[in-house]
Amino acid sequence: MSAARWLRRALVMALLLTAVPARADAVDDAFAEGNAAADQAHWSAAVEAYERAGALLAQPSSLLSYNLGTAYAQLGDLGHATFHLRQALDFRGSPTTEVAEAARSNLGIVRRRAELAAATTSALIDRPQTWWDLVVETLRAPGVGWLALVCGIVAVGLFGVERLRSAAGARPTRWATSAFWLLAATWALAGGLHALSLRADRTAPRAVAVPAATEARDRPGMHGTSTWSVAGGAQVRIVDRTPGWVLVRLAGGIEGWLPESAVADLSRPFGQAQGR
Amino acid sequence: MRRPHRRAFLLGAGALALGFPRRVLASELTAELRVSSTSLKVGDEIDFELEVTRAGGGSVPDPELPSGLAEGFEITSRFASGSGFAFSMGGGGRSRTSHSSMGLTAVALKGGTYKLSFTVDDAGTKVTSNVVEVVVAAQAPASTEPAVAAIGKPTEARGDVFVWCASNKSKAYIGEQLEYRLDVYERSLLSSVTLRTPPNFADFYTYDLPEGEAVVEEVAGVPYRVRPGMRRALFPQKAGILVVGAPEITIGRRRRDRGAAVAIEVQPLPAKGQPPGFSPNNVGSFTVTAKIDRDTVEVGQPFTWTVEISGEGNVALLDPGPWPDIPGVRRYDPKIDSQMKSETKVTGRRTYSFLIIPEAPGALKLPAIALNYFDPEAERYAVARGEALVVEVRGTAVVPDEAALPDRAPGDASDATDLGLRPILAASTLPREPPPKPVLTPSRWGWSMVALPTLAATIWGGGALWRKFGPDDLARRRAAQRRRRRERLDAAREAVDSGEGFHVALANLLHDLAVGRVGDQGMGLPRPELMRMLASKGTPTIELRKLEDLLERCDAARFAAQRGTVDERRDMLDDALSLVERSSLGREPNDRGES
């Protein structure tokens, strides 16, 4: 093979290899632009640059969500700050320990400010997180699903072995019976609770109210009677949808219709949530 | 009477009965129209009675609707319709009349003079009733000029139903509470009275009041049932002659009645003694109270200071004026709550809840809140004053936590440190790894969780089926026996050439054959006993001898080292095979132990 032919192939490979980083550079440029604006406390410019980086990246990034949420917090936009800081904690964005700790810390500060703002504007906000919320959050984790599944598989295996032994004339051992029931109970309990939490996420996804205060109405449309008002940063669940409007429920059970643009769906990936 | 004659007689009698009266009475049909009133006005009801009579009896045609009725009336109901006949004897003769009648109720729609009559068709001949002249007076158009404020009760009876509107005062101050009432006076129970045009309260702030129950009143000596249609509390919003628009009711389907507009002279609040910046909504009678949710707090710990204004008047629009400055605290805009109560008058309560965060220790004095208002009954300005409160603040003065301020200015370079927020994380690049795809998606997890009990059920069901339809103990024992014989036979075959172990395997096979024939009771018996038991089980003698001979030859080979030749061993094997395959010893016993 001639040297010219090798040279042509090398050039083609170089072009192919440099094609992907070209888009990545645009993301990094926007990210760096946001960082530079944030350094100079130009938070509006930082938010704009981070939003641009997110649109170019088109995949979850906990680091980007954290910086964006922090910039919104600096601007006093507690709804967007809460939404992005919560997204920074989502495992789909691959949060590092450093990002997760910083996001939790900032989320706590934003939450206190949102509660205070709600207290002074008569708007409603979801109740503060309790140990029960932690339990519910834990039940939603994939680990609980794995635990239930493995327990179920082992229990069924043990059951099959015991049946074979029984067919061969052997009597069931006490430890095998106890282990089977323990595994079956774990399968049923952990699996049932995990299924409930998955169902809740599927039928009533979690969302965050983004404007400082939004009037909730008794029916979809601006002609509906305003019944209460939800504070920015309040976590709600979307229980129904009509074009342009969503029926949300606060943790206490109170429900009302909000414009779709007033809530950001936490289950949707970055760039597809409403209310941005 | 014979049958053909009887039939002819009946037909003739029927023809006479049907034909004779018609021929005689055809010229004696009369029609008459009667009305309940010949003079009425638009909207009034009128009853028509149409009657057709035939003297001498006979069929009577139904009357048709009067001509001209549709031009100025609308029929609302038919109240009577029927037919019949009367028969009388006396005075040397007899008379018989038939009649048909119809009753109508109609409402006059437009004025004019109507000449009404109706016709009936009597076998092609038109018979016309008498002509009745009904005069309908056109209703005078409603006056657009507002009436003078009506106060109290009506003094003049107006027909069987009318609407009456009034206010409790004809003169009032701006913001003063008035009562407006709309009643329907009716002499009969007319359930279909509806408010067609409600009164217009354009210049008033209004609240609904309880309407109350229907009562019976006399108007100019005429008893009426008074049905309350509307009660409103009115708060005039500007000075001048303010008019509540005239309402209109619909009675039945077409009839209407219009009430009077109510004019109220509204005066401005007196300038004398008016506090500066006074709000015209602060009219009524009010009291102010104040309270705190705790007496002792720490520095930086928030508490709630609640100021409540209650009383008679439009409390929802009250203007408490500027709130006093309280040094040494951070105070946020109040959370406001209004609760109105409508009974005979409108009262209410308006609550202002302040979130206050003390910033310095000591006795924190919350000043008394004063509310200026105008009392329209006393026609003077007054002041309602709450009580001053003291809160004990403990701890040491601290620098205010700016992080808690919801309205801080954005864009400040020192924000990050002031708010306590962690700084942004400035990495040079953003991680680009696509998010890991979870192996256990909710869908997969759900199907796996459902599959597990299905698998367990399948295992359990399979076991149950195996127990029900699988082999029993006897079959398993036979199978084991067959397997054992086959193994021993194979061992004997393999040892035919060498002779090593041949006789042992063959003896075991034959002994097993014998024990298998007699059952478990033959196990462990010496050979003579075993042979006797085989004989008692019906084993042919020739097979017994053959078995005994083979066993003895095996014993001789095993214990006397007489292995014999290969041919001899092959013969022994053939003999054993014939016992196993063709003798009764080789047959398997049934469940009862029979071969």
Side-chain angles (χ1 to χ4, degrees):
Chain A
M1 193 177 291
S2 67
R5 199 167 178 182
W6 275 111
L7 187 61
R8 277 202 301 275
R9 286 193 173 183
L11 279 171
V12 169
M13 288 299 292
L15 282 172
L16 287 173
L17 288 173
T18 53
V20 175
R23 185 169 177 275
D25 285 346
V27 174
D28 285 338
D29 287 349
F31 185 62
E33 189 183 329
N35 291 343
D39 275 345
Q40 297 175 1
H42 295 157
W43 299 112
S44 297
V47 163
E48 190 185 340
Y50 288 141
E51 294 275 16
R52 199 166 63 248
L56 287 169
L57 188 61
Q59 73 178 53
S61 167
S62 290
L63 178 60
L64 182 59
S65 293
Y66 167 75
N67 280 4
L68 187 53
T70 304
Y72 271 124
Q74 296 286 10
L75 281 173
D77 189 340
L78 304 179
H80 281 108
T82 304
F83 171 71
H84 288 291
L85 289 172
R86 280 193 183 279
Q87 282 217 320
L89 293 169
D90 192 326
F91 75 95
R92 288 174 293 186
S94 309
T96 61
T97 308
E98 182 188 14
V99 170
E101 280 183 3
R104 276 197 201 94
S105 170
N106 286 0
L107 194 58
I109 292 168
V110 169
R111 170 72 194 190
R112 285 198 296 277
R113 292 185 64 191
E115 286 176 4
L116 198 59
T120 54
T121 59
S122 304
L124 298 183
I125 194 168
D126 57 308
R127 58 179 166 70
Q129 285 209 321
T130 60
W131 64 270
W132 178 247
D133 296 302
L134 188 64
V135 170
V136 172
E137 196 76 25
T138 306
L139 289 172
R140 191 185 295 118
V144 178
W146 275 112
L147 173 71
L149 193 60
V150 169
C151 284
I153 291 169
V154 175
V156 169
L158 203 56
F159 179 71
V161 169
E162 284 301 301
R163 297 305 298 176
L164 285 175
R165 291 187 67 241
S166 172
R171 300 185 65 180
T173 57
R174 196 168 176 176
W175 74 265
T177 307
S178 304
F180 169 76
W181 284 113
L182 185 66
L183 290 165
T186 309
W187 168 81
L189 191 67
L193 293 173
H194 186 65
L196 281 177
S197 64
L198 288 180
R199 184 178 177 276
D201 273 354
R202 191 184 184 91
T203 57
R206 292 175 302 153
V208 172
V210 284
T214 312
E215 295 292 325
R217 300 177 186 275
D218 62 349
R219 57 183 185 275
M222 293 305 288
H223 54 278
T225 308
S226 172
T227 50
W228 48 282
S229 135
V230 61
Q235 184 170 307
V236 296
R237 280 194 179 271
I238 298 173
V239 294
D240 199 3
R241 291 176 186 272
T242 61
W245 291 80
V246 289
L247 178 63
V248 300
R249 182 193 298 150
L250 266 180
I254 186 170
E255 291 185 355
W257 288 92
L258 300 181
E260 197 168 17
S261 59
V263 293
D265 192 342
L266 282 167
S267 63
R268 294 189 183 180
F270 190 98
Q272 292 180 23
Q274 295 292 319
R276 297 182 60 236
Chain B
M1 190 181 291
R2 286 189 303 176
R3 181 162 293 183
H5 293 157
R6 189 171 59 188
R7 184 179 295 170
F9 173 77
L10 289 174
L11 286 171
L16 284 172
L18 291 171
F20 179 72
R22 183 178 296 274
R23 181 177 55 80
V24 171
L25 300 174
S27 61
E28 295 179 22
L29 193 73
T30 57
E32 185 180 2
L33 172 64
R34 293 186 291 273
V35 294
S36 59
S37 172
T38 56
S39 176
L40 62 157
K41 62 178 186 292
V42 170
D44 285 352
E45 283 184 340
I46 181 172
D47 294 336
F48 297 93
E49 193 175 350
L50 294 75
E51 189 172 46
V52 183
T53 309
R54 187 189 295 278
S59 65
V60 179
D62 290 331
E64 296 175 4
L65 288 177
S67 59
L69 189 68
E71 296 172 7
F73 298 87
E74 180 180 328
I75 297 170
T76 55
S77 66
R78 297 187 179 210
F79 62 86
S81 182
S83 60
F85 68 90
F87 186 80
S88 64
M89 295 181 69
R94 60 178 184 177
S95 66
R96 179 179 172 179
T97 58
S98 299
H99 71 275
S100 176
S101 64
M102 181 168 64
L104 303 170
T105 300
V107 174
L109 296 179
K110 62 181 182 181
T113 302
Y114 298 90
K115 292 181 179 178
L116 303 171
S117 65
F118 70 96
T119 58
V120 289
D121 185 6
D122 184 22
T125 307
K126 293 284 184 184
V127 177
T128 305
S129 74
N130 58 315
V131 178
V132 176
E133 189 173 283
V134 178
V135 179
V136 179
Q139 196 175 40
S143 172
T144 53
E145 292 297 319
V148 177
I151 303 173
K153 306 291 183 185
T155 55
E156 183 186 350
R158 287 199 289 125
D160 56 346
V161 57
F162 67 93
V163 62
W164 174 256
C165 312
S167 71
N168 64 337
K169 289 182 178 179
S170 59
K171 290 177 69 174
Y173 286 102
I174 290 179
E176 183 180 351
Q177 185 171 178
L178 302 170
E179 185 191 351
Y180 174 85
R181 53 191 300 159
L182 183 155
D183 294 327
V184 177
Y185 283 68
E186 57 190 15
R187 294 182 63 187
S188 58
L189 198 60
L190 297 169
S191 58
S192 60
V193 174
T194 53
L195 186 62
R196 184 169 184 269
T197 308
N200 180 11
F201 302 108
D203 297 322
F204 300 89
Y205 198 100
T206 72
Y207 291 93
D208 279 325
L209 294 175
E211 292 178 355
E213 300 293 326
V215 295
V216 176
E217 290 179 3
E218 279 197 1
V219 180
V222 180
Y224 278 92
R225 179 174 178 270
V226 183
R227 191 196 300 187
M230 181 184 286
R231 294 279 187 281
R232 281 287 179 94
L234 309 182
F235 294 90
Q237 296 297 294
K238 66 180 183 181
I241 304 293
L242 304 187
V243 179
V244 179
E248 188 177 49
I249 60 170
T250 302
I251 306 144
R253 294 182 62 188
R254 289 284 182 178
R255 193 174 161 195
R256 294 171 188 167
D257 188 65
R258 195 176 180 84
V262 175
I264 298 162
E265 183 184 347
V266 179
Q267 301 173 328
L269 296 175
K272 185 182 177 185
Q274 188 177 88
F278 184 77
S279 168
N281 286 316
N282 296 10
V283 179
S285 175
F286 306 103
T287 57
V288 178
T289 57
K291 62 181 179 183
I292 48 178
D293 62 345
R294 66 195 78 178
D295 298 330
T296 307
V297 295
E298 299 290 330
V299 170
Q301 183 184 8
F303 69 94
T304 305
W305 177 38
T306 306
V307 177
E308 182 180 294
I309 302 172
S310 58
E312 189 180 296
N314 197 358
V315 179
L317 295 185
L318 273 178
D319 180 6
W323 300 104
D325 288 330
I326 307 171
V329 302
R330 195 189 315 158
R331 190 194 71 203
Y332 295 100
D333 289 338
K335 179 181 173 183
I336 303 170
D337 182 37
S338 296
Q339 289 186 355
M340 304 301 292
K341 197 172 179 183
S342 298
E343 292 174 328
T344 54
K345 285 194 168 184
V346 171
T347 58
R349 190 173 69 227
R350 192 165 171 85
T351 307
Y352 300 86
S353 300
F354 294 91
L355 192 70
I356 291 180
I357 301 175
E359 293 177 332
L364 174 62
K365 292 179 182 173
L366 301 173
I369 299 296
L371 173 74
N372 293 310
Y373 67 94
F374 179 73
D375 186 347
E377 300 296 330
E379 297 191 83
R380 63 178 176 79
Y381 291 96
V383 179
R385 199 177 297 277
E387 58 269 40
L389 300 169
V390 178
V391 180
E392 185 186 346
V393 182
R394 293 174 179 169
T396 54
V398 293
V399 177
D401 180 15
E402 295 295 326
L405 280 173
D407 54 352
R408 63 176 295 102
D412 186 354
S414 61
D415 272 355
T417 51
D418 285 347
L419 291 171
L421 289 167
R422 298 252 185 123
I424 60 161
L425 299 173
S428 57
T429 58
L430 274 174
R432 306 297 160 83
E433 296 86 15
K437 290 192 174 178
V439 177
L440 197 64
T441 61
S443 172
R444 287 179 191 164
W445 181 82
W447 283 113
S448 305
M449 290 294 283
V450 171
L452 286 174
T454 311
L455 183 62
T458 307
I459 293 171
W460 182 84
L465 287 173
W466 179 259
R467 279 196 305 277
K468 188 171 178 63
F469 300 109
D472 55 5
D473 289 344
L474 182 62
R476 278 198 290 275
R477 202 161 56 237
R478 284 174 182 170
Q481 198 175 40
R482 281 196 297 272
R483 189 174 62 249
R484 201 162 52 242
R485 285 177 188 172
R486 203 161 43 242
E487 287 170 0
R488 285 171 180 172
L489 207 53
D490 290 343
R493 278 196 186 108
E494 288 176 5
V496 165
D497 293 337
S498 64
E500 191 68 34
F502 171 80
H503 295 95
V504 175
L506 200 62
N508 287 339
L509 171 67
L510 293 170
H511 190 262
D512 189 49
L513 203 65
V515 171
R517 179 72 182 86
V518 297
D520 292 341
Q521 56 190 337
M523 291 180 71
L525 289 177
R527 188 174 299 161
E529 288 296 322
L530 187 62
M531 291 300 150
R532 267 196 296 276
M533 195 169 283
L534 280 172
S536 67
K537 291 279 184 182
T539 308
T541 312
I542 189 165
E543 292 177 4
L544 280 176
R545 284 182 182 167
K546 197 172 183 178
L547 175 66
E548 198 167 12
D549 178 53
L550 281 171
L551 284 170
E552 282 177 0
R553 286 168 67 187
C554 286
D555 288 346
R558 290 164 65 192
F559 303 117
Q562 296 174 3
R563 292 183 178 176
T565 63
V566 173
D567 292 336
E568 285 173 349
R569 289 195 290 271
R570 193 160 286 133
D571 289 343
M572 285 178 73
L573 183 62
D574 291 341
D575 290 343
L577 274 173
S578 69
L579 276 178
V580 170
E581 292 171 355
R582 290 187 287 276
S583 73
S584 63
L585 292 169
R587 281 188 221 127
E588 291 172 346
N590 57 19
D591 294 345
R592 295 186 299 278
E594 299 167 348
S595 297

